[in-house]
Amino acid sequence: MFILNPHASVPIYQQLIDQVRRLVAGGQLLPGAELPSVREMAHEHTVHPMTISKAYSLLESEGLLERHRGKPMRVAALRRNQSSVAAKLRQIEPQLEALALAARQLELSDEEVIAQLRKNLGEKS
Amino acid sequence: MSESAVSIQALHWAIKGRSVLQGITTEVRPGDVVGVIGKNGAGKTTLLETMLGFSPPASGSARIFGEDCRNLSEAVKMRIGFVPQQDELLPTLTGTHQISLTSSFYSTWDSALVDRLAREWEVPLDRRANVLSGGERQKLSTLLALGNRPDLLVLDEPVASLDPLARRRFLQQLLEVAGDAQRAVIFSTHIVSDLERVANRIWIIKDGRLLWDGETDNLKQSVRRLHIRARRPLPSELGLRGVLSSRRAPDNMTATVTVRDLGEADLQAAAARMEAHIESEGLGLEDIFLEIHA
Amino acid sequence: MKTVLRIAQGFCWSIIPLQSWIVLLGAVFLLGAMGFGAFEQEPQDIHIYAMVGMAGAIIIAFVPALSGGAALRFASSRSMLHLRPRGRATMLSASMLAITALAALIALPVLLGQFATQSAGFAPIPRSPLPAHVFAVSWSVMALLWGIVFVASGSRAFSFLAILPIFIVPPLLIHSSQAALDLPGPFTWFLLALAFWLLFTVWYMRADAFRTPRWFGDRSSQNFESTPAGMVSSLLDFSRSALSPQRAGSLLLLGASSPLRYAITNTVWLAVIFLFFAVMGTGSARARAGRVPGMEFVLVFGATLGAQLAYMSARRARLLWLRAGSDRMSLFAMAERNGLAATLWSLLLTAAIVGCFTLLRAPDFARSLLLFAAAQLPAWVAAYYCGMSLTRTPNLIDVCLCIGLVLLFFVQMVFVQPKVDVSSLQLSLAAAFWLGLSILLRALAKRRWRALDWRIARLTFPSQRTG
């Protein structure tokens, strides 16, 4: 379900947080869905359990996950501000940054990029 | 958990007038997995062995579970597991005999665990140690250190001779130990990618000093590589703090600078001052290590 | 050529740890004898100095003679010579060079003695051997030993069995037919040895591959477990289900699970050496005078076994640091208990063997032998504590200590001899002296152990394979 790269420059817990946010905002993780336990995740990806539990704790304080004693972490019930456009846009912020960087390096003009982007978005819908 | 597992204060170690450890002060708490990295000869092994009391320090102190390393009580020694860099297996004893010899010293020996690991790690227990390969000897040494379920596990380059599969299995077992919040692990290695997975704290030793002592995540967020593209020639002094390394292009219009602990505000100010566009790139641990030693 | 020189130097200097110190010790005797002998005028005195110098040279040649063959095998293994062109020829040339040089070194003092005698105008000393003879015999013995040890160290069983004949068969032959030695003179031996070496060369150059030495191989001949006896001992140890911490501690410190067991197997060596000397020396002048040849040597120099044991156990104690004892002093006490017991058992067993031999051969000797052995007890203890003090990389003080101790042994051998009418006073004085020395050395050892640094004092167990 999650892709964690320990060798990336982004810390593992941050990668996990970003992915959970994206999946929840995008609807792939529905409210009430259970996430793997800390032990399972740590074992599967061979990472320190503390990293996973740090991510879970931060997500819990954000309100995205809820903890039930004796049971795995669950996605919290949907709240209004989670589905706001601004929050969703925050999810694709990294991709937009990367796009902007590439565009600048290739010295493409803003209009050219937006036109291409429209085409890509057009293909989707 | 107020008691720290290891507490080191201003530790100095010297041999023949040459100072090997210079004033190291740090701490390890239960639940930590500390990765120690440094160039060959930086003092990693010296630090670990001095900390455990094999070698009296020139000055300063190291305390394990509150006791001075020169006078560890039997109770504390029972809680320590150590895998040295050069294995100390008696050459003519088989694995089984090594295990039974080592286990006779400990009252909390877990034979089931040792047997299970020996099977999983494919360690031949019926051959004498001097006919085992280097990797098998390392695995056996590690087994012997894990057998008494130590609260402090210290490993000095435990995976240097292991193939990737064996390394992965070892790391998984290490995480089992780490999962228990009462136990601490300190291990030194050259294989930086393993640390990224498993260690939550990193010690970087350079020339006998502790260059970095903090969380892995913080280290990654603190060291960044800046790509500077300016519209006019760059000044000779870039005016950035915490520079680890820098390279300029021949035309003096672009430069790559690795910095540590540079705040966002300072970054913007520098960009404005140089009339340059600055991209900030995060680095993996191996690149950070290389930059620090550039 | 430089490679050959370097390898030959390696044979003479660094086959086993502490070899360099043994060489230095021999050099002290050799150079000292030559230096002092240069001032002597009397042929008798010159002869004595020549003999002492020869003894020094023999000390230097001792280790290469006995282990050069195994070192050659180690260096000729596939992994070592794999990429070297003409590797084997180089190795062989280096061996030949070492043997010849050492034989020449042994003959040198005798040569100089002859020269000094003749230049002083005296006739050559009748009993003094000719330098050429000395060279021939030394060369032959070393060449033969080199080749035999090379062959023998190829297989464990063979090497153990082969060592025995070297010590047992020749003395028996010699004893049974005294004339046998005179028949082939030194030059016949030389020719025989030369022929042997030629055959050996041919075989060596044409053989496919050599296995690494099985017995001497990993330079751990200082480790008890590697000896065949040690391995048998290990089997016995682990046949029970659990080791007590005490036995485990003994196993780690000594290599055997009890001091007695260690002493038994170690003493076998001493016994073999003793029997060799004793049988070789029967019929000699000293035996006719009622003394058992080889007895002093074994009873006095056997103490160095205790020193070696102590040296080893200081290093092996590293294995116990995290496992037992609370501080270095309690580890010292543990090592002392085990080590002293092993040393004293060794002395006891050695004295018993020597005593039995004496009872058979020269019964009126037995009493003085007993007294002599008893007087050696504190000497062995002193040697043990000397070994325990060597906790650092040897510096000048340590070397002086060791050389001093060996010199004291020599002095004792000269002045306190186990004759039939040995004086009790002499023995008591000697014993008291050794006792005092032991107390001092023990204090030194304790002080050194207090600051024992196991990053410096460590044994290495080199692995034989890299996987």
Side-chain angles (χ1 to χ4, degrees), chain C residues 66-103:
Chain C
L66 287 182
S67 52
L72 177 62
R73 178 177 277 273
F74 181 73
S76 311
S77 60
R78 206 183 256 135
S79 56
M80 290 273 163
L81 283 187
H82 180 54
L83 293 172
R84 264 164 240 223
R86 300 200 304 278
R88 285 200 189 169
T90 310
M91 286 291 155
L92 212 54
S93 314
S95 305
M96 176 75 332
L97 182 63
I99 292 174
T100 311
L102 289 169

Short mmCIF file of all heavy atoms in Angstrom, two decimals, chain C residues 66-103:
data_model
loop_
_atom_site.label_atom_id
_atom_site.label_comp_id
_atom_site.label_asym_id
_atom_site.label_seq_id
_atom_site.Cartn_x
_atom_site.Cartn_y
_atom_site.Cartn_z
N LEU C 66 62.61 -25.22 13.57
CA LEU C 66 61.47 -26.07 13.89
C LEU C 66 60.20 -25.68 13.13
O LEU C 66 59.35 -26.51 12.90
CB LEU C 66 61.18 -26.03 15.39
CG LEU C 66 62.17 -26.78 16.26
CD1 LEU C 66 61.75 -26.70 17.71
CD2 LEU C 66 62.25 -28.23 15.83
N SER C 67 60.05 -24.43 12.81
CA SER C 67 58.79 -24.04 12.18
C SER C 67 58.96 -23.47 10.79
O SER C 67 57.99 -23.10 10.14
CB SER C 67 58.05 -23.03 13.05
OG SER C 67 58.90 -21.95 13.38
N GLY C 68 60.20 -23.42 10.29
CA GLY C 68 60.40 -22.89 8.95
C GLY C 68 59.66 -23.69 7.91
O GLY C 68 59.11 -23.14 6.95
N GLY C 69 59.64 -25.01 8.09
CA GLY C 69 58.94 -25.85 7.13
C GLY C 69 57.47 -25.51 7.06
O GLY C 69 56.88 -25.41 5.99
N ALA C 70 56.86 -25.32 8.23
CA ALA C 70 55.44 -24.99 8.25
C ALA C 70 55.20 -23.61 7.67
O ALA C 70 54.22 -23.38 6.96
CB ALA C 70 54.92 -25.07 9.69
N ALA C 71 56.11 -22.68 7.97
CA ALA C 71 55.96 -21.33 7.41
C ALA C 71 56.08 -21.38 5.90
O ALA C 71 55.36 -20.68 5.18
CB ALA C 71 57.02 -20.40 8.00
N LEU C 72 56.98 -22.22 5.42
CA LEU C 72 57.14 -22.36 3.97
C LEU C 72 55.86 -22.90 3.36
O LEU C 72 55.41 -22.44 2.30
CB LEU C 72 58.32 -23.29 3.66
CG LEU C 72 58.56 -23.58 2.17
CD1 LEU C 72 58.89 -22.29 1.44
CD2 LEU C 72 59.69 -24.57 2.00
N ARG C 73 55.27 -23.86 4.03
CA ARG C 73 54.01 -24.42 3.50
C ARG C 73 52.93 -23.36 3.49
O ARG C 73 52.17 -23.21 2.54
CB ARG C 73 53.58 -25.61 4.34
CG ARG C 73 52.26 -26.21 3.90
CD ARG C 73 51.92 -27.44 4.71
NE ARG C 73 52.58 -28.62 4.20
CZ ARG C 73 52.10 -29.40 3.23
NH1 ARG C 73 50.96 -29.09 2.66
NH2 ARG C 73 52.75 -30.45 2.83
N PHE C 74 52.84 -22.61 4.57
CA PHE C 74 51.85 -21.54 4.66
C PHE C 74 52.03 -20.55 3.52
O PHE C 74 51.08 -20.10 2.89
CB PHE C 74 51.99 -20.85 6.01
CG PHE C 74 50.99 -19.76 6.24
CD1 PHE C 74 49.66 -20.05 6.49
CD2 PHE C 74 51.38 -18.43 6.19
CE1 PHE C 74 48.74 -19.04 6.69
CE2 PHE C 74 50.46 -17.42 6.40
CZ PHE C 74 49.15 -17.72 6.65
N ALA C 75 53.31 -20.20 3.26
CA ALA C 75 53.56 -19.21 2.22
C ALA C 75 53.44 -19.80 0.82
O ALA C 75 53.39 -19.06 -0.15
CB ALA C 75 54.97 -18.64 2.41
N SER C 76 53.41 -21.13 0.72
CA SER C 76 53.32 -21.74 -0.61
C SER C 76 51.91 -22.12 -0.98
O SER C 76 51.69 -22.72 -2.01
CB SER C 76 54.16 -23.03 -0.66
OG SER C 76 55.42 -22.79 -0.16
N SER C 77 50.97 -21.80 -0.13
CA SER C 77 49.60 -22.19 -0.44
C SER C 77 49.10 -21.38 -1.62
O SER C 77 49.61 -20.31 -1.92
CB SER C 77 48.70 -22.00 0.77
OG SER C 77 48.70 -20.64 1.16
N ARG C 78 48.09 -21.88 -2.22
CA ARG C 78 47.62 -21.30 -3.48
C ARG C 78 47.30 -19.83 -3.36
O ARG C 78 47.64 -19.03 -4.20
CB ARG C 78 46.39 -22.07 -3.95
CG ARG C 78 46.22 -22.01 -5.45
CD ARG C 78 44.96 -22.71 -5.87
NE ARG C 78 45.26 -24.00 -6.46
CZ ARG C 78 44.60 -25.10 -6.18
NH1 ARG C 78 43.64 -25.10 -5.29
NH2 ARG C 78 44.90 -26.23 -6.77
N SER C 79 46.63 -19.48 -2.28
CA SER C 79 46.19 -18.09 -2.16
C SER C 79 47.39 -17.15 -2.05
O SER C 79 47.33 -16.01 -2.46
CB SER C 79 45.27 -17.92 -0.97
OG SER C 79 45.91 -18.38 0.19
N MET C 80 48.49 -17.65 -1.51
CA MET C 80 49.64 -16.77 -1.33
C MET C 80 50.42 -16.60 -2.62
O MET C 80 50.88 -15.52 -2.96
CB MET C 80 50.57 -17.36 -0.27
CG MET C 80 50.01 -17.31 1.11
SD MET C 80 50.39 -15.76 1.87
CE MET C 80 49.24 -15.77 3.19
N LEU C 81 50.61 -17.71 -3.33
CA LEU C 81 51.51 -17.66 -4.48
C LEU C 81 50.79 -17.49 -5.79
O LEU C 81 51.42 -17.40 -6.83
CB LEU C 81 52.31 -18.97 -4.54
CG LEU C 81 53.45 -19.08 -3.53
CD1 LEU C 81 54.25 -20.33 -3.82
CD2 LEU C 81 54.35 -17.88 -3.61
N HIS C 82 49.52 -17.45 -5.70
CA HIS C 82 48.65 -17.51 -6.89
C HIS C 82 49.11 -16.61 -8.02
O HIS C 82 49.23 -17.01 -9.16
CB HIS C 82 47.24 -17.15 -6.45
CG HIS C 82 46.24 -17.16 -7.53
ND1 HIS C 82 46.02 -18.25 -8.34
CD2 HIS C 82 45.38 -16.24 -7.95
CE1 HIS C 82 45.06 -17.98 -9.20
NE2 HIS C 82 44.65 -16.77 -8.98
N LEU C 83 49.36 -15.37 -7.68
CA LEU C 83 49.63 -14.43 -8.76
C LEU C 83 51.11 -14.13 -8.91
O LEU C 83 51.49 -13.22 -9.63
CB LEU C 83 48.88 -13.13 -8.50
CG LEU C 83 47.35 -13.28 -8.59
CD1 LEU C 83 46.68 -12.01 -8.13
CD2 LEU C 83 46.94 -13.60 -10.00
N ARG C 84 51.94 -14.84 -8.22
CA ARG C 84 53.35 -14.50 -8.29
C ARG C 84 54.09 -15.37 -9.27
O ARG C 84 54.11 -16.58 -9.13
CB ARG C 84 53.99 -14.67 -6.91
CG ARG C 84 54.02 -13.36 -6.17
CD ARG C 84 54.27 -13.61 -4.75
NE ARG C 84 53.12 -13.08 -4.04
CZ ARG C 84 53.22 -12.38 -2.93
NH1 ARG C 84 54.37 -12.20 -2.40
NH2 ARG C 84 52.15 -11.93 -2.35
N PRO C 85 54.76 -14.74 -10.25
CA PRO C 85 55.57 -15.55 -11.16
C PRO C 85 56.79 -16.05 -10.41
O PRO C 85 57.36 -15.36 -9.59
CB PRO C 85 55.98 -14.55 -12.25
CG PRO C 85 55.91 -13.23 -11.60
CD PRO C 85 54.85 -13.31 -10.55
N ARG C 86 57.18 -17.27 -10.71
CA ARG C 86 58.35 -17.84 -10.06
C ARG C 86 58.23 -17.78 -8.53
O ARG C 86 59.21 -17.70 -7.83
CB ARG C 86 59.64 -17.11 -10.48
CG ARG C 86 59.91 -17.15 -11.98
CD ARG C 86 61.37 -16.87 -12.26
NE ARG C 86 61.81 -15.61 -11.70
CZ ARG C 86 61.62 -14.44 -12.27
NH1 ARG C 86 60.99 -14.37 -13.42
NH2 ARG C 86 62.04 -13.34 -11.71
N GLY C 87 57.00 -17.83 -8.06
CA GLY C 87 56.81 -17.71 -6.62
C GLY C 87 57.51 -18.82 -5.86
O GLY C 87 58.17 -18.59 -4.86
N ARG C 88 57.34 -20.04 -6.35
CA ARG C 88 57.90 -21.15 -5.60
C ARG C 88 59.41 -21.12 -5.58
O ARG C 88 60.03 -21.42 -4.55
CB ARG C 88 57.43 -22.47 -6.23
CG ARG C 88 56.00 -22.75 -5.90
CD ARG C 88 55.69 -24.19 -6.07
NE ARG C 88 54.27 -24.43 -5.96
CZ ARG C 88 53.71 -25.57 -6.27
NH1 ARG C 88 54.46 -26.55 -6.74
NH2 ARG C 88 52.42 -25.73 -6.13
N ALA C 89 59.99 -20.75 -6.70
CA ALA C 89 61.46 -20.67 -6.73
C ALA C 89 61.94 -19.64 -5.72
O ALA C 89 62.93 -19.86 -5.02
CB ALA C 89 61.93 -20.34 -8.13
N THR C 90 61.21 -18.54 -5.66
CA THR C 90 61.59 -17.50 -4.71
C THR C 90 61.53 -18.02 -3.29
O THR C 90 62.44 -17.82 -2.49
CB THR C 90 60.63 -16.29 -4.83
OG1 THR C 90 60.54 -15.92 -6.19
CG2 THR C 90 61.11 -15.13 -4.00
N MET C 91 60.43 -18.71 -2.97
CA MET C 91 60.25 -19.24 -1.62
C MET C 91 61.36 -20.21 -1.26
O MET C 91 61.92 -20.17 -0.16
CB MET C 91 58.92 -19.97 -1.52
CG MET C 91 57.73 -19.09 -1.48
SD MET C 91 57.72 -18.21 0.07
CE MET C 91 56.79 -16.80 -0.39
N LEU C 92 61.67 -21.08 -2.21
CA LEU C 92 62.68 -22.08 -1.95
C LEU C 92 64.05 -21.45 -1.77
O LEU C 92 64.82 -21.82 -0.88
CB LEU C 92 62.70 -23.08 -3.12
CG LEU C 92 63.06 -24.51 -2.78
CD1 LEU C 92 62.18 -25.02 -1.68
CD2 LEU C 92 62.91 -25.36 -4.02
N SER C 93 64.34 -20.47 -2.63
CA SER C 93 65.63 -19.79 -2.50
C SER C 93 65.73 -19.11 -1.15
O SER C 93 66.79 -19.12 -0.51
CB SER C 93 65.78 -18.75 -3.60
OG SER C 93 65.41 -19.28 -4.84
N ALA C 94 64.62 -18.50 -0.73
CA ALA C 94 64.64 -17.82 0.55
C ALA C 94 64.88 -18.81 1.69
O ALA C 94 65.64 -18.53 2.63
CB ALA C 94 63.33 -17.07 0.76
N SER C 95 64.24 -19.98 1.60
CA SER C 95 64.46 -21.00 2.63
C SER C 95 65.92 -21.40 2.67
O SER C 95 66.54 -21.51 3.72
CB SER C 95 63.61 -22.24 2.35
OG SER C 95 62.26 -21.90 2.23
N MET C 96 66.48 -21.67 1.48
CA MET C 96 67.87 -22.09 1.38
C MET C 96 68.78 -21.02 1.96
O MET C 96 69.72 -21.31 2.70
CB MET C 96 68.19 -22.36 -0.10
CG MET C 96 69.59 -22.71 -0.39
SD MET C 96 70.14 -24.37 0.06
CE MET C 96 69.19 -24.89 1.36
N LEU C 97 68.46 -19.79 1.63
CA LEU C 97 69.28 -18.68 2.13
C LEU C 97 69.23 -18.62 3.64
O LEU C 97 70.25 -18.46 4.32
CB LEU C 97 68.77 -17.36 1.52
CG LEU C 97 69.54 -16.10 1.91
CD1 LEU C 97 70.97 -16.21 1.42
CD2 LEU C 97 68.87 -14.88 1.30
N ALA C 98 68.01 -18.77 4.18
CA ALA C 98 67.86 -18.69 5.63
C ALA C 98 68.65 -19.81 6.31
O ALA C 98 69.37 -19.60 7.28
CB ALA C 98 66.38 -18.77 6.01
N ILE C 99 68.50 -21.02 5.78
CA ILE C 99 69.18 -22.17 6.40
C ILE C 99 70.69 -21.97 6.37
O ILE C 99 71.39 -22.17 7.37
CB ILE C 99 68.81 -23.47 5.64
CG1 ILE C 99 67.33 -23.81 5.87
CG2 ILE C 99 69.68 -24.62 6.10
CD1 ILE C 99 66.86 -24.97 5.04
N THR C 100 71.20 -21.59 5.19
CA THR C 100 72.64 -21.42 5.06
C THR C 100 73.15 -20.32 5.97
O THR C 100 74.18 -20.47 6.65
CB THR C 100 72.99 -21.12 3.60
OG1 THR C 100 72.33 -22.06 2.77
CG2 THR C 100 74.48 -21.21 3.38
N ALA C 101 72.41 -19.21 6.00
CA ALA C 101 72.85 -18.10 6.83
C ALA C 101 72.88 -18.48 8.30
O ALA C 101 73.81 -18.15 9.04
CB ALA C 101 71.93 -16.90 6.60
N LEU C 102 71.82 -19.18 8.72
CA LEU C 102 71.77 -19.56 10.13
C LEU C 102 72.86 -20.56 10.48
O LEU C 102 73.47 -20.48 11.55
CB LEU C 102 70.39 -20.13 10.46
CG LEU C 102 69.26 -19.10 10.46
CD1 LEU C 102 67.90 -19.78 10.53
CD2 LEU C 102 69.42 -18.13 11.62
N ALA C 103 73.10 -21.51 9.56
CA ALA C 103 74.18 -22.47 9.82
C ALA C 103 75.51 -21.75 9.93
O ALA C 103 76.35 -22.06 10.78
CB ALA C 103 74.21 -23.51 8.70
#
